[in-house]
C-alpha cells in the first residue's frame, strides 16, 4: 500500500522516533507547527478516526497513555493539545490514523 506512515513504520522512510513498541510509534512531525510536535500512530494501517472499532481500539488507548507519559518527559505541564484530523473537511492529509501531540506554545480555541 502506498502510505507514507506505513513506510515510516517499516523503515522505508527515515524519521526521528521518540517512542516505539510492538503496536505503535511516536515520531517528530517533519513540518512542526509548535515547539513540540509529535505524531503518534498505530503500526497497523487504520485510515482515520472514523475507522476506529471495538476490534482495533486498544492501540488508541495506548497512544493516549504514551501521550500523557511524553507530556511529562517533554515538560509540557503548562498545557498541550492532542488533535486528530479526520477526513477532507478537517484537513487530513495522510490517510493513516495519527494523533498530533503539540505543545510549547499557546493554542487558540476554537481551532480554525
Ligand atoms: P494531517 O494533515 O493528516 O493531520 O497530518 C499529517 C502530518 O504528517 C503533517 O503535520 C505533516 O507535516 C506530517 N508528515 C507528512 N509526511 C511526513 C513524513 O514523511 N515524515 C514526518 N515525520 N511527518 C510527515
Ligand atoms: Zn498506513
Amino acid at each position: 500500500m502506498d502510505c507514507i506512515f506505513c513506510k515510516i513504520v517499516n523503515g522505508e522512510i527515515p524519521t526521528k522516533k521518540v517512542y516505539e513498541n510492538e503496536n505503535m510509534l511516536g515520531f517528530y512531525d517533519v513540518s512542526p507547527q509548535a515547539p513540540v510536535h509529535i505524531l503518534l500512530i498505530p503500526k497497523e494501517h487504520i485510515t482515520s478516526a472514523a475507522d476506529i472499532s471495538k476490534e482495533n481500539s486498544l492501540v488508541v488507548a495506548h497512544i493516549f497513555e504514551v501521550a500523557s507519559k511524553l507530556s511529562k518527559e517533554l515538560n509540557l505541564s503548562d498545557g498541550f493539545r492532542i488533535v486528530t484530523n479526520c477526513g477532507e473537511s478537517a484537513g487530513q492529509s495522510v490517510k493513516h490514523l495519527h494523533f498530533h501531540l503539540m505543545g510549547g506554545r499557546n493554542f487558540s480555541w476554537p481551532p480554525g
Side-chain angles (χ1 to χ4, degrees), residues 33-34 37 41 43 46 55-56 60 66 71 76 87 95 103 109:
Q33 302 302 312
H37 188 170
I41 71 170
K43 287 190 170 178
I46 299 169
E55 285 68 41
N56 65 18
V60 178
V66 170
S71 75
L76 302 181
K95 308 295 191 272
W109 191 263

Side-chain angles (χ1 to χ4, degrees), residues 4-5 8 13-16 27-33 37 39 83-87 90-96 98-100 102:
I4 297 172
F5 288 177
I8 285 176
I13 296 177
T15 192
K16 193 178 166 200
F27 55 95
Y28 285 95
D29 196 293
V30 77
S31 175
Q33 302 302 312
H37 188 170
L39 299 173
V83 175
T84 187
N85 296 317
C86 177
Q92 183 183 4
S93 62
V94 178
K95 308 295 191 272
H96 179 131
H98 52 282
F99 295 86
H100 300 257
M102 307 168 84

Side-chain angles (χ1 to χ4, degrees), residues 69-80:
K69 179 175 123 76
L70 289 174
S71 75
K72 293 173 185 77
E73 288 176 8
L74 299 168
N75 303 311
L76 302 181
S77 56
D78 283 353
F80 58 90

Side-chain angles (χ1 to χ4, degrees), residues 3 6 45 96:
C3 169
C6 282
H45 182 91
H96 179 131

